[in-house]
Amino acid sequence: MKALILVDIQYDFISGGALAVPEGETIIPTVNQLQQHFDLVIATQDFHPADHGSFATNHPGKNPGEVTDLNGLPQILWPVHCVQGTRGVDFVEELNMEKVEKIFPKGTDKGIDSYSGFFDNGHKKATGLGDYLKEKGVKEVFVVGLATDYCVKFTALDALELGFETYLIKDASRGVNLQPGDVEKAIKELDGQGVKIVESKSILA
Ligand code: VGL
Ligand code: ZN
């Protein structure tokens, strides 16, 4: 049983969004095609309250890109993004959601960020995604979406740690590249940990 996880394909992560990932929207046609090749499709949704601790504006004197301490964890500060009730939090209209069986929101606790779709950044609370996939009999997890160097990366690493055979579909993901080369670094790290890096054509063929 193979599952496809669509990570954070939301307005704030595409061109024009608050935390725009370069070329973020260009993955959508490929992601839509890929869905037809999977038994199960699920989506994660970055889903912050307005007072979330990952927003630079909630730390007077600090700017996006700076790192602070958030309840004992290092936290990169981001522009305000994916706030519940705003358009930025919505899935991009062109993304086919018909096959998506369940949505897993994350980043809802203002005191801790959650890059992975499985756990918060402190690995304290599970979103339920791991148990859900296991109950469905999933053995292989394929990860696509935004952003390769943050939420896609940590979702893939947690999938691997939970015992799933884990794949990153490279061309169906895009990254932030806060520092030049971050995406390549993330892919190398995933590869080194045992995530299989593949191209969409190997699945669509
Ligand atoms: C993400 C930074 C902050 C992501 C979410 O979806 O990769 N990155 N929140
Ligand atoms: Zn976020």
Side-chain angles (χ1 to χ4, degrees), residues 75-102:
Q75 174 68 51
I76 302 174
L77 294 174
W78 301 103
V80 174
H81 66 278
C82 298
V83 173
Q84 296 165 20
T86 67
R87 173 177 159 88
V89 81
D90 291 343
F91 292 108
V92 180
E93 208 174 286
E94 287 77 14
L95 180 67
N96 181 15
M97 292 296 287
E98 275 165 36
K99 274 202 65 149
V100 174
E101 291 203 22
K102 200 166 158 72

Side-chain angles (χ1 to χ4, degrees), residues 13 46 48 54-55 78 81-82 113:
F13 295 127
D46 212 36
H48 298 308
S54 74
F55 300 161
W78 301 103
H81 66 278
C82 298
D113 210 355

Side-chain angles (χ1 to χ4, degrees), residues 62-186:
K62 297 231 186 288
N63 294 306
E66 289 180 34
V67 178
T68 193
D69 174 285
L70 185 60
N71 299 311
L73 288 178
Q75 174 68 51
I76 302 174
L77 294 174
W78 301 103
V80 174
H81 66 278
C82 298
V83 173
Q84 296 165 20
T86 67
R87 173 177 159 88
V89 81
D90 291 343
F91 292 108
V92 180
E93 208 174 286
E94 287 77 14
L95 180 67
N96 181 15
M97 292 296 287
E98 275 165 36
K99 274 202 65 149
V100 174
E101 291 203 22
K102 200 166 158 72
I103 294 165
F104 288 85
K106 62 187 181 63
T108 54
D109 179 345
K110 71 171 187 171
I112 191 161
D113 210 355
S114 188
Y115 293 151
S116 162
F118 291 94
F119 297 98
D120 61 54
N121 290 1
H123 263 228
K124 292 192 182 93
K125 271 194 203 147
T127 60
L129 173 57
D131 287 342
Y132 177 85
L133 296 177
K134 285 189 177 165
E135 274 163 30
K136 295 269 182 189
V138 171
K139 299 277 184 260
E140 292 159 278
V141 165
F142 290 70
V143 185
V144 299
L146 309 170
T148 314
D149 37 359
Y150 291 95
C151 292
V152 168
K153 171 182 155 182
F154 288 101
T155 298
L157 288 175
D158 280 343
L160 195 69
E161 198 179 307
L162 289 170
F164 298 104
E165 190 174 329
T166 307
Y167 295 78
L168 167 70
I169 310 176
K170 193 177 157 181
D171 59 311
S173 307
R174 287 292 186 282
V176 181
N177 270 331
L178 215 53
Q179 307 290 334
D182 276 356
V183 169
E184 269 316 302
K185 226 173 96 183

